[in-house]
Amino acid sequence: MKILYHHRIGSRDGQYVHIDELTTALRSRGHEIVMVGPRITGEQTFGGESRFVAALKKYLPKALYELLEFFYSVIDYLHLARAIRRHRPDIIYERYNLFWLSGVWARRRFGIPLIIEVNAPLYDERSRYGGISLKRLARFTERASWRGADYVATVTGVLAERVAREGVPRRRIVVTPNGINRKRFTATLDKAAAKRQLGLEDRLVIGFVGFAREWHGLERVVELLGQDRSRNLFFLLVGDGLVCPALQRSAVSAGIGDRLRVTGIQPRDKVAEYVRAFDIALQPAVVDYASPLKLFEYMACGTAIVAPDKENIREILTDGRDGLLFEPHNPASFATAVERLCSDAALRARLSDQAQRTMETRDLTWDHNARVVEALAHELVAQSQCSRAESIAR
């Protein structure tokens, strides 16, 4: 089957990982993928973003920037139409974005089935964190995009409910949580070897993967290190972020600078080697609708996980079975959960083992998601062919 993958991602980050892993899984199943999206995404190093887009956001009035986003749909539609005429895809698979209707327009014009993947309710998200000037236009484009698709694939059940409230029939919504690529997480190092490689043989390692932000509350981990009289705890932050210099200064001030390591952004193929050295993996905060990539990487590596007790997390983890959940927005509850795991090796081992089993039992992989997309695509193509046959018969 020929699948046209349509996106508007201008950064090489977790969004890019999702695109790359799903398209890789689809290709491995024998499908041809035609990519239509900003070229710059494939030219950046991991963690990079478009400087041009960042400058527009910074210097243009918000309303003007949003109008440019909307009118980009027209330019993008021309590229999309050209790709459709040239490649004649069976379906369009689109990663949803706000102020963006070119995929829906192409579906109507060419009659090609459209699956839209929704990773966040961007109207709500941008209203809350950055603000939106053209609220009516933004809301209109979100609803038109979701309602105009043949299927909407959401990463959590929480997000599926949000999409349904906008008038999308539930029969047209499927949930495909993020996952892992088994090939990337095939064990080459056990925990002891991973620790030895990092010079952490005798340490109890608390770990975090990703771009550290203020709302993650990682300063609480530094405080725990300072309270540890054994001086055995070590905090390994695999990634980077604006809060990292402040975390390092706090650690140095407390005399524990040698027990915090910030690796900087790492190649994706190296991440598993670091995660396998974790004794305790942190998912310290998460928005209500997200499906955190790091959570699945932790599970695949068989690490005891501390995560907030929220509905989207409970879709994956069960408290006390394959993770230890704490009360969101409660620093004391977070610290208690981490301290409990630090002092209970048996609990760490049990949670670690069960997290891996959950991953395998539920097949939380990109290959599984590719199979779901494949099944939906076959169904839509068959329906489209029947409709054409009936039209001809009339």
Side-chain angles (χ1 to χ4, degrees), residues 5 20 36 47 56 62 64 68 71 106 110 131 153 295 338 389:
Y5 194 108
D20 186 50
V36 177
L56 290 178
K62 197 180 297 293
L64 179 56
L68 287 177
F71 284 115
F110 296 98
L295 186 66
V338 176

Side-chain angles (χ1 to χ4, degrees), residues 198-200 203-205 222 225-226 228 230-237 247-262:
L198 297 172
L200 301 175
R203 302 284 191 164
L204 184 64
V205 179
V222 176
L225 296 184
D228 173 41
S230 71
R231 298 188 62 81
N232 187 45
L233 287 185
F234 190 94
F235 183 22
L236 181 59
L237 195 159
L247 292 175
Q248 291 170 313
R249 286 194 297 272
S250 296
V252 170
S253 276
I256 54 173
D258 61 335
R259 294 164 59 197
L260 165 63
R261 185 183 305 172
V262 178

